[in-house]
Amino acid sequence: MKTALITGASSGFGEATARLFARHGYRLILVARRLDRLKVLAETLDMPCHVEALDMTDTSAIDAFVNGLPAEWSNIDILVNNAGLALGTGPAQEADLTDWHTMINTNITGLVTLTHKILPIMVKQNSGSIINVGSIAGNWPYPGGNVYCGTKAFVHQFSKALRADLAGTGVRVSTIEPGLAETEFSIVRMHGDKQKADGLYTDAQPIVAEDIADMIFWLANVPPHLNVNNLEVMPTSQAWGPLNVVKNSDAADDA
Ligand code: NDP
Ligand code: 8X3
Protein backbone atom coordinates (compact mmCIF):
# COMPACT_ATOMS: atom_id res chain seq x y z
CA MET A 1 0.00 0.00 0.00
CA LYS A 2 1.49 3.35 -1.03
CA THR A 3 1.73 6.38 1.25
CA ALA A 4 1.09 9.94 0.11
CA LEU A 5 2.01 13.02 2.14
CA ILE A 6 -0.19 15.99 1.22
CA THR A 7 0.41 19.49 2.60
CA GLY A 8 -2.43 21.98 2.81
CA ALA A 9 -4.97 19.16 3.01
CA SER A 10 -7.48 21.16 5.05
CA SER A 11 -9.01 22.87 2.01
CA GLY A 12 -9.16 23.22 -1.77
CA PHE A 13 -6.78 21.18 -3.94
CA GLY A 14 -5.17 19.42 -0.98
CA GLU A 15 -8.45 18.19 0.46
CA ALA A 16 -9.75 17.02 -2.94
CA THR A 17 -6.42 15.26 -3.59
CA ALA A 18 -6.63 13.49 -0.24
CA ARG A 19 -10.15 12.26 -1.06
CA LEU A 20 -9.09 10.98 -4.49
CA PHE A 21 -5.92 9.22 -3.31
CA ALA A 22 -7.89 7.57 -0.49
CA ARG A 23 -10.46 6.30 -3.02
CA HIS A 24 -7.55 4.73 -4.92
CA GLY A 25 -6.21 2.92 -1.84
CA TYR A 26 -3.40 5.20 -0.65
CA ARG A 27 -2.54 5.67 3.03
CA LEU A 28 -2.37 9.38 3.77
CA ILE A 29 -0.30 11.74 5.85
CA LEU A 30 -2.23 15.00 5.91
CA VAL A 31 -0.92 18.27 7.28
CA ALA A 32 -2.12 21.88 7.57
CA ARG A 33 -2.51 24.36 10.39
CA ARG A 34 -6.23 23.63 10.90
CA LEU A 35 -6.01 20.24 12.59
CA ASP A 36 -9.77 20.20 13.32
CA ARG A 37 -10.50 20.15 9.59
CA LEU A 38 -7.93 17.40 8.96
CA LYS A 39 -9.52 15.24 11.66
CA VAL A 40 -12.99 15.67 10.15
CA LEU A 41 -11.59 14.84 6.69
CA ALA A 42 -9.75 11.75 7.94
CA GLU A 43 -12.95 10.43 9.50
CA THR A 44 -14.66 10.50 6.10
CA LEU A 45 -11.86 8.55 4.35
CA ASP A 46 -11.79 4.77 4.25
CA MET A 47 -8.00 4.55 4.42
CA PRO A 48 -5.54 4.85 7.31
CA CYS A 49 -4.63 8.51 7.84
CA HIS A 50 -2.02 10.21 9.97
CA VAL A 51 -2.96 13.85 10.55
CA GLU A 52 -0.82 16.54 12.14
CA ALA A 53 -1.01 20.29 12.59
CA LEU A 54 1.90 21.83 10.75
CA ASP A 55 2.68 25.44 9.97
CA MET A 56 4.80 25.44 6.82
CA THR A 57 6.38 28.76 7.80
CA ASP A 58 7.94 27.10 10.86
CA THR A 59 11.05 25.31 9.61
CA SER A 60 11.86 23.70 12.96
CA ALA A 61 8.29 22.35 13.17
CA ILE A 62 8.75 20.77 9.71
CA ASP A 63 11.97 19.16 10.91
CA ALA A 64 10.30 17.86 14.08
CA PHE A 65 7.28 16.60 12.13
CA VAL A 66 9.34 14.45 9.75
CA ASN A 67 11.70 13.25 12.52
CA GLY A 68 8.71 12.35 14.68
CA LEU A 69 6.74 10.36 12.12
CA PRO A 70 5.86 6.95 13.57
CA ALA A 71 7.97 4.19 11.96
CA GLU A 72 4.98 2.79 10.07
CA TRP A 73 4.46 6.20 8.42
CA SER A 74 8.08 6.97 7.55
CA ASN A 75 8.18 5.54 4.01
CA ILE A 76 6.68 8.15 1.74
CA ASP A 77 5.96 7.34 -1.91
CA ILE A 78 4.25 10.57 -2.98
CA LEU A 79 4.86 14.09 -1.69
CA VAL A 80 2.30 16.67 -2.79
CA ASN A 81 3.74 20.09 -1.92
CA ASN A 82 0.44 21.92 -2.14
CA ALA A 83 0.25 24.24 0.91
CA GLY A 84 0.53 27.82 -0.20
CA LEU A 85 -1.16 31.14 -0.53
CA ALA A 86 -1.30 34.55 -2.13
CA LEU A 87 -1.86 37.69 -0.06
CA GLY A 88 -2.95 40.91 -1.71
CA THR A 89 -3.71 42.05 -5.24
CA GLY A 90 -2.39 45.60 -5.17
CA PRO A 91 0.72 47.07 -6.75
CA ALA A 92 4.11 46.29 -5.21
CA GLN A 93 4.59 49.86 -4.07
CA GLU A 94 1.47 49.57 -1.88
CA ALA A 95 2.00 46.02 -0.63
CA ASP A 96 2.35 44.95 2.97
CA LEU A 97 5.86 43.59 3.53
CA THR A 98 4.55 41.10 6.08
CA ASP A 99 2.32 39.61 3.36
CA TRP A 100 5.36 39.25 1.10
CA HIS A 101 7.34 37.49 3.80
CA THR A 102 4.43 35.16 4.59
CA MET A 103 4.18 34.10 0.92
CA ILE A 104 7.94 33.55 0.68
CA ASN A 105 8.06 31.65 3.98
CA THR A 106 5.15 29.40 2.99
CA ASN A 107 5.44 28.93 -0.77
CA ILE A 108 9.24 28.78 -0.93
CA THR A 109 10.93 28.19 2.44
CA GLY A 110 8.31 25.74 3.72
CA LEU A 111 8.27 23.82 0.45
CA VAL A 112 12.03 23.47 0.19
CA THR A 113 12.42 22.59 3.87
CA LEU A 114 9.93 19.73 3.67
CA THR A 115 11.33 18.56 0.34
CA HIS A 116 14.85 18.53 1.80
CA LYS A 117 13.61 16.26 4.63
CA ILE A 118 11.77 13.85 2.33
CA LEU A 119 14.37 13.53 -0.45
CA PRO A 120 16.70 11.12 1.43
CA ILE A 121 13.71 8.84 2.16
CA MET A 122 12.77 8.65 -1.53
CA VAL A 123 16.34 8.32 -2.79
CA LYS A 124 16.92 5.44 -0.37
CA GLN A 125 13.75 3.75 -1.71
CA ASN A 126 14.92 4.33 -5.32
CA SER A 127 11.42 5.61 -6.05
CA GLY A 128 9.01 8.38 -5.28
CA SER A 129 7.03 11.21 -6.84
CA ILE A 130 7.21 14.81 -5.75
CA ILE A 131 4.39 16.92 -7.11
CA ASN A 132 4.77 20.63 -6.53
CA VAL A 133 1.80 22.95 -6.89
CA GLY A 134 2.97 25.99 -8.81
CA SER A 135 0.71 28.37 -10.70
CA ILE A 136 0.30 30.09 -14.03
CA ALA A 137 1.46 33.06 -11.95
CA GLY A 138 4.94 31.54 -12.03
CA ASN A 139 4.97 31.65 -15.83
CA TRP A 140 2.98 34.78 -16.63
CA PRO A 141 3.36 38.02 -14.66
CA TYR A 142 0.30 40.17 -14.03
CA PRO A 143 -0.33 43.43 -12.14
CA GLY A 144 -0.65 42.77 -8.43
CA GLY A 145 1.04 39.38 -8.73
CA ASN A 146 4.48 40.65 -7.65
CA VAL A 147 5.80 38.35 -4.89
CA TYR A 148 3.18 35.62 -5.43
CA CYS A 149 4.31 35.35 -9.08
CA GLY A 150 7.90 35.25 -7.85
CA THR A 151 7.26 32.42 -5.40
CA LYS A 152 5.58 30.29 -8.04
CA ALA A 153 8.37 30.99 -10.56
CA PHE A 154 10.68 29.63 -7.87
CA VAL A 155 8.56 26.48 -7.58
CA HIS A 156 8.76 25.97 -11.36
CA GLN A 157 12.53 26.31 -11.64
CA PHE A 158 13.35 24.56 -8.36
CA SER A 159 11.31 21.57 -9.54
CA LYS A 160 13.19 21.34 -12.83
CA ALA A 161 16.57 21.72 -11.14
CA LEU A 162 15.58 19.02 -8.65
CA ARG A 163 14.87 16.73 -11.57
CA ALA A 164 18.34 17.35 -12.91
CA ASP A 165 19.88 16.35 -9.58
CA LEU A 166 17.62 13.33 -9.14
CA ALA A 167 18.22 11.82 -12.58
CA GLY A 168 18.99 8.14 -12.10
CA THR A 169 17.52 7.90 -8.60
CA GLY A 170 14.04 6.78 -9.64
CA VAL A 171 12.56 9.84 -7.93
CA ARG A 172 10.27 11.92 -10.15
CA VAL A 173 9.42 15.60 -9.87
CA SER A 174 6.45 17.31 -11.52
CA THR A 175 4.89 20.73 -11.21
CA ILE A 176 1.22 21.40 -11.75
CA GLU A 177 0.50 25.02 -12.62
CA PRO A 178 -3.20 25.91 -12.43
CA GLY A 179 -4.92 29.11 -13.43
CA LEU A 180 -8.16 30.49 -11.97
CA ALA A 181 -9.53 27.87 -9.58
CA GLU A 182 -12.37 28.24 -7.11
CA THR A 183 -11.14 27.24 -3.63
CA GLU A 184 -10.57 29.29 -0.49
CA PHE A 185 -7.50 30.75 -2.23
CA SER A 186 -9.10 34.08 -3.18
CA ILE A 187 -10.79 34.58 0.19
CA VAL A 188 -7.32 34.28 1.74
CA ARG A 189 -5.80 36.51 -0.92
CA MET A 190 -8.47 39.20 -0.34
CA HIS A 191 -7.87 39.00 3.42
CA GLY A 192 -11.27 37.44 4.11
CA ASP A 193 -13.43 39.51 1.72
CA LYS A 194 -15.61 36.63 0.49
CA GLN A 195 -17.83 38.83 -1.66
CA LYS A 196 -14.85 40.15 -3.62
CA ALA A 197 -13.43 36.63 -3.90
CA ASP A 198 -16.75 35.19 -5.12
CA GLY A 199 -16.94 37.94 -7.75
CA LEU A 200 -13.85 36.53 -9.45
CA TYR A 201 -15.52 33.22 -10.11
CA THR A 202 -19.05 34.30 -11.01
CA ASP A 203 -19.87 33.17 -14.58
CA ALA A 204 -16.18 32.30 -15.17
CA GLN A 205 -16.46 28.49 -15.07
CA PRO A 206 -13.23 28.24 -13.09
CA ILE A 207 -11.19 25.11 -12.43
CA VAL A 208 -12.54 23.21 -9.42
CA ALA A 209 -10.44 21.42 -6.81
CA GLU A 210 -11.42 17.98 -8.12
CA ASP A 211 -9.98 18.86 -11.57
CA ILE A 212 -6.58 19.46 -9.99
CA ALA A 213 -6.85 16.35 -7.81
CA ASP A 214 -7.44 14.28 -10.97
CA MET A 215 -4.32 15.76 -12.59
CA ILE A 216 -2.17 15.27 -9.49
CA PHE A 217 -3.28 11.65 -9.35
CA TRP A 218 -2.44 11.22 -13.03
CA LEU A 219 1.01 12.83 -12.55
CA ALA A 220 1.75 10.42 -9.69
CA ASN A 221 0.65 7.43 -11.72
CA VAL A 222 2.17 7.82 -15.17
CA PRO A 223 4.29 4.77 -16.04
CA PRO A 224 7.58 4.66 -14.09
CA HIS A 225 9.70 5.38 -17.18
CA LEU A 226 8.00 8.78 -17.62
CA ASN A 227 8.38 12.10 -15.82
CA VAL A 228 5.91 14.88 -16.65
CA ASN A 229 7.98 17.99 -15.95
CA ASN A 230 5.20 20.52 -15.73
CA LEU A 231 1.54 20.70 -16.47
CA GLU A 232 -0.03 24.14 -16.92
CA VAL A 233 -3.83 24.27 -16.94
CA MET A 234 -6.32 27.11 -17.23
CA PRO A 235 -10.08 27.19 -17.39
CA THR A 236 -11.19 27.47 -21.02
CA SER A 237 -12.56 30.90 -20.12
CA GLN A 238 -9.11 32.21 -19.15
CA ALA A 239 -6.40 33.30 -21.61
CA TRP A 240 -3.68 35.91 -22.02
CA GLY A 241 -4.49 39.56 -22.56
CA PRO A 242 -2.55 42.22 -24.42
CA LEU A 243 0.66 43.56 -22.86
CA ASN A 244 0.14 46.89 -21.15
CA VAL A 245 1.72 49.97 -22.73
CA VAL A 246 1.47 53.12 -20.64
CA LYS A 247 1.62 56.17 -22.89
CA ASN A 248 2.97 59.55 -21.82
CA SER A 249 -0.53 60.96 -22.28
CA ASP A 250 -1.90 58.39 -19.76
CA ALA A 251 0.73 59.49 -17.23
CA ALA A 252 -0.27 63.10 -17.83
CA ASP A 253 -3.95 62.19 -17.26
CA ASP A 254 -3.01 60.61 -13.92
CA ALA A 255 -1.07 63.67 -12.75
P1 NDP B 1 -6.94 26.98 -0.29
O1 NDP B 1 -6.83 28.29 0.40
O2 NDP B 1 -8.28 26.37 -0.42
O3 NDP B 1 -5.96 25.92 0.40
C1 NDP B 1 -4.67 26.30 0.81
C2 NDP B 1 -4.11 25.23 1.74
O4 NDP B 1 -2.79 25.62 2.12
C3 NDP B 1 -4.94 25.09 3.01
O5 NDP B 1 -5.08 23.73 3.32
C4 NDP B 1 -4.08 25.79 4.06
O6 NDP B 1 -4.23 25.12 5.32
C5 NDP B 1 -2.68 25.53 3.51
N1 NDP B 1 -1.73 26.51 4.05
C6 NDP B 1 -1.67 27.83 3.82
N2 NDP B 1 -0.70 28.38 4.58
C7 NDP B 1 -0.17 27.37 5.32
C8 NDP B 1 0.84 27.30 6.32
N3 NDP B 1 1.52 28.39 6.74
N4 NDP B 1 1.13 26.10 6.87
C9 NDP B 1 0.47 25.00 6.48
N5 NDP B 1 -0.49 24.99 5.55
C10 NDP B 1 -0.82 26.18 4.99
O7 NDP B 1 -6.29 27.22 -1.72
P2 NDP B 1 -5.90 26.20 -2.93
O8 NDP B 1 -6.33 24.84 -2.65
O9 NDP B 1 -6.34 26.88 -4.17
O10 NDP B 1 -4.32 26.33 -2.86
C11 NDP B 1 -3.46 25.23 -2.87
C12 NDP B 1 -2.23 25.59 -3.67
O11 NDP B 1 -2.63 25.86 -5.01
C13 NDP B 1 -1.47 26.83 -3.21
O12 NDP B 1 -0.08 26.55 -3.28
C14 NDP B 1 -1.86 27.90 -4.23
O13 NDP B 1 -0.87 28.88 -4.38
C15 NDP B 1 -1.99 27.04 -5.46
N6 NDP B 1 -2.79 27.58 -6.57
C16 NDP B 1 -4.08 27.96 -6.39
C17 NDP B 1 -4.81 28.43 -7.47
C18 NDP B 1 -6.20 28.94 -7.34
O14 NDP B 1 -6.62 29.77 -8.17
N7 NDP B 1 -6.97 28.49 -6.37
C19 NDP B 1 -4.25 28.44 -8.81
C20 NDP B 1 -2.87 28.03 -8.88
C21 NDP B 1 -2.20 27.58 -7.80
P3 NDP B 1 -4.37 25.84 6.74
O15 NDP B 1 -4.95 27.21 6.50
O16 NDP B 1 -5.29 24.92 7.51
O17 NDP B 1 -2.99 25.86 7.27
C1 8X3 C 1 -3.47 31.44 -8.63
C2 8X3 C 1 -3.83 31.61 -10.06
O1 8X3 C 1 -4.27 33.32 -11.88
O2 8X3 C 1 -4.84 33.93 -9.59
O3 8X3 C 1 -2.23 30.83 -8.51
O4 8X3 C 1 -2.55 33.82 -10.24
S1 8X3 C 1 -3.86 33.25 -10.44
Side-chain angles (χ1 to χ4, degrees), residues 13 86 134-138 140 142 145 148-149 152 178-181 185-186 189 200 238:
F13 300 162
S135 168
I136 60 164
W140 312 105
Y142 55 83
Y148 181 66
C149 291
K152 293 303 186 177
L180 185 78
F185 174 85
S186 290
R189 185 171 207 168
L200 273 181
Q238 186 177 37

Side-chain angles (χ1 to χ4, degrees), residues 33 82-87 102-103 106-107 148 151-152 185 188:
R33 290 166 300 183
N82 163 73
L85 78 171
L87 291 169
T102 303
M103 288 186 275
T106 312
N107 302 357
Y148 181 66
T151 64
K152 293 303 186 177
F185 174 85
V188 172

Side-chain angles (χ1 to χ4, degrees), residues 30-177:
L30 305 175
V31 295
R33 290 166 300 183
R34 290 170 292 180
L35 182 60
D36 50 337
R37 284 202 184 196
L38 296 178
K39 286 183 176 164
V40 170
L41 171 63
E43 276 166 21
T44 68
L45 305 177
D46 284 334
M47 290 301 295
C49 291
H50 177 82
V51 297
E52 274 196 48
L54 182 63
D55 183 342
M56 294 297 291
T57 66
D58 183 344
T59 53
S60 45
I62 295 174
D63 202 52
F65 154 67
V66 178
N67 291 343
L69 277 173
E72 68 274 22
W73 287 99
S74 59
N75 291 329
I76 292 157
D77 301 289
I78 318 274
L79 168 61
V80 183
N81 273 320
N82 163 73
L85 78 171
L87 291 169
T89 54
Q93 59 275 26
E94 289 167 19
D96 179 341
L97 185 59
T98 311
D99 284 349
W100 281 11
H101 286 157
T102 303
M103 288 186 275
I104 292 165
N105 294 340
T106 312
N107 302 357
I108 298 181
T109 310
L111 183 147
V112 302
T113 304
L114 181 60
T115 303
H116 186 260
K117 290 294 287 182
I118 301 300
L119 277 176
I121 298 173
M122 291 186 168
V123 170
K124 195 168 166 208
Q125 288 168 178
N126 297 312
S127 70
S129 284
I130 300 172
I131 296 161
N132 293 329
V133 180
S135 168
I136 60 164
N139 301 332
W140 312 105
Y142 55 83
N146 46 71
V147 165
Y148 181 66
C149 291
T151 64
K152 293 303 186 177
F154 175 90
V155 172
H156 178 101
Q157 198 65 1
F158 173 62
S159 305
K160 283 188 170 169
L162 260 186
R163 272 224 66 216
D165 288 346
L166 291 167
T169 64
V171 180
R172 306 192 288 192
V173 186
S174 302
T175 312
I176 181 158
E177 300 174 329

